[in-house]
């Protein structure tokens, strides 16, 4: 993922936030926080992981399949853009 170097700091920041969320879940379990609170923490963590996944998948599509911003074939560009939009919606 050498192309991800330009976004390295952003991706690392996301991972660090996820790590903090995982630690919050661990603390919640250790202190026997209520089920609803733990589930909310886990849901937040899942959302953060999905966000990271979307960033990585979009980068993969743009750099290894088709970059819709620079693809001369309008149909391929549209298909790639739609795929990215679907992933963003699905993993929201």
């Amino acid at each position: 993922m050498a192309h991800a170097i330009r976004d390295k700091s952003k991706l690392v920041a996301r991972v660090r936030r996820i790590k903090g969320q995982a630690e919050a879940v661990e603390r919640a379990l250790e202190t026997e926080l209520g089920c609803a609170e733990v589930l909310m923490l886990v849901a937040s963590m899942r959302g953060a992981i999905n966000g990271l996944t979307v960033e990585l998948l979009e980068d993969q599509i743009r750099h290894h399949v088709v970059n819709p911003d620079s693809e001369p074939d309008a149909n391929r560009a549209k298909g790639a853009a739609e795929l990215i939009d679907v992933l963003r919606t699905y993993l929201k």
Side-chain angles (χ1 to χ4, degrees), residues 38-78:
V38 173
L39 288 169
M40 289 299 288
L41 291 169
V42 170
S44 295
M45 194 171 144
R46 187 184 74 206
I49 290 171
N50 284 348
L52 175 63
T53 302
V54 167
E55 291 295 322
L56 295 171
L57 286 170
E58 180 176 349
D59 215 34
Q60 177 74 11
I61 292 166
R62 289 183 181 280
H63 288 90
H64 298 289
V65 182
V66 172
N67 185 342
D69 298 332
S70 60
E71 174 60 42
D73 182 328
N75 286 332
R76 287 176 50 88
K78 182 180 179 206

Side-chain angles (χ1 to χ4, degrees), residues 1-53:
M1 292 196 75
H3 52 81
I5 295 301
R6 65 182 173 82
D7 295 326
K8 179 180 174 180
S9 61
K10 183 174 76 169
L11 295 173
V12 169
R14 278 182 176 266
V15 170
R16 288 186 178 140
R17 281 193 298 277
I18 293 167
K19 185 168 119 180
Q21 289 172 316
E23 290 167 352
V25 171
E26 180 181 12
R27 284 190 303 275
L29 292 170
E30 286 175 345
T31 61
E32 298 181 16
L33 198 62
C35 293
E37 290 88 352
V38 173
L39 288 169
M40 289 299 288
L41 291 169
V42 170
S44 295
M45 194 171 144
R46 187 184 74 206
I49 290 171
N50 284 348
L52 175 63
T53 302

